[in-house]
Amino acid sequence: MLASDKYYAVNIREYLALGDDPEAGEPALAKLLFGFSCSKNPDVERFLKKSAIEFTKKNQSVTYVVVSVKDGGLLGYFTLALKPLTVRGETVSNTTKKKLLRVSELDEKSDTYTMAAYLIAQLGKNYTDGRDKEITGEELIELAWMVIEEAQYLFGGMVTFLEAENEEKLLSFYRDNRFSQFDTRLTASKEAEPHELVQLLRLL
């Protein structure tokens, strides 16, 4: 558990491990997640309410809820996963290439670096009843980063990435938090029209 005097982050596996306990198990978690809203990004809300628990059970990703010390209210959440990542050499600096070589397989013909990387898959604040005022985006991403640093200490690796909508305010936020754009990707979804996501990375 990561904690400060204002909030703490909990791996939702801790709730799931308690089964059907209405006070601390999966029913309590479902109730907590139900109170989350994020009109700025409906996908962030939809994932938390409809997919986070199932994805964690299947080991596809792990979601952490960030909870108020004062009253136990939900302030935000983040979801982390391990994913394969391919970086085109032409999109990064020579210094970054040298670092990537330590943890990747280089295809010299295509000048691509392929590796396992930490993915910040979701990140969002809870806008219900003004709870978003109780934590900043910087604090939320720093909590995610602390979990990744713990994983890196245990298992190695050095690359973290995320994907974001192509909106300058959002991209500026990630740049301010030491992420650098390296590529773009077109989404493939049965539910929505394909659109472009900006890919950003940060090295541990």
Side-chain angles (χ1 to χ4, degrees):
M1 180 187 295
L2 301 172
S4 77
D5 59 348
K6 297 189 299 180
Y7 49 73
Y8 55 94
V10 184
N11 185 327
I12 68 168
R13 290 186 192 275
E14 295 189 27
Y15 290 92
L16 300 179
L18 297 175
D20 294 330
D21 184 327
E23 299 299 322
E26 188 171 339
L29 174 62
K31 183 178 179 181
L32 183 70
L33 303 189
F34 182 77
F36 182 91
S37 68
C38 184
S39 59
K40 292 186 175 184
N41 192 333
D43 287 339
V44 167
E45 181 175 341
R46 188 180 306 113
F47 176 84
L48 183 65
K49 292 181 175 179
K50 296 185 178 295
S51 303
I53 292 175
E54 196 63 29
F55 276 40
T56 298
K57 287 180 176 179
K58 292 180 178 179
N59 296 314
Q60 292 174 268
S61 61
V62 177
T63 291
Y64 289 73
V65 289
V66 181
V67 179
S68 167
V69 169
K70 181 176 62 177
D71 60 11
L74 180 61
L75 305 184
Y77 84 98
F78 55 89
T79 299
L80 306 176
L82 276 173
K83 292 287 185 180
L85 175 66
T86 298
V87 177
R88 295 184 294 129
E90 66 190 81
T91 65
V92 295
S93 68
N94 288 333
T95 300
T96 298
K97 287 181 188 179
K98 289 177 183 178
K99 292 179 178 179
L100 293 180
L101 268 176
R102 300 179 202 164
V103 294
S104 66
E105 291 186 8
L106 171 63
D107 184 325
E108 294 186 1
K109 186 175 181 180
S110 61
D111 188 30
T112 56
Y113 300 75
T114 301
M115 71 217 77
Y118 301 104
L119 169 66
I120 301 178
Q122 301 287 345
L123 185 82
K125 295 197 293 180
N126 183 13
Y127 286 83
T128 299
D129 297 329
R131 306 238 53 156
D132 59 296
K133 305 291 194 305
E134 298 178 48
I135 190 169
T136 67
E138 288 78 8
E139 288 172 320
L140 193 59
I141 203 168
E142 185 59 26
L143 284 170
W145 191 251
M146 289 168 68
V147 175
I148 292 168
E149 284 184 321
E150 287 183 7
Q152 191 261 355
Y153 178 80
L154 291 170
F155 308 115
M158 63 182 300
V159 180
T160 298
F161 76 107
L162 54 81
E163 298 179 328
E165 299 291 338
N166 191 4
E167 299 174 3
E168 183 51 37
K169 186 177 181 180
L170 187 59
L171 298 179
S172 177
F173 165 75
Y174 287 124
R175 287 194 294 266
D176 289 344
N177 284 277
R178 293 183 285 164
F179 282 83
S180 301
Q181 180 178 342
F182 68 93
D183 217 335
T184 59
R185 180 179 72 84
L186 201 63
T187 63
S189 171
K190 296 177 181 178
E191 299 175 359
E193 288 295 316
H195 66 283
E196 188 178 79
L197 293 175
V198 176
Q199 297 178 304
L200 304 101
L201 63 78
R202 176 177 167 182
L203 301 181
L204 285 146

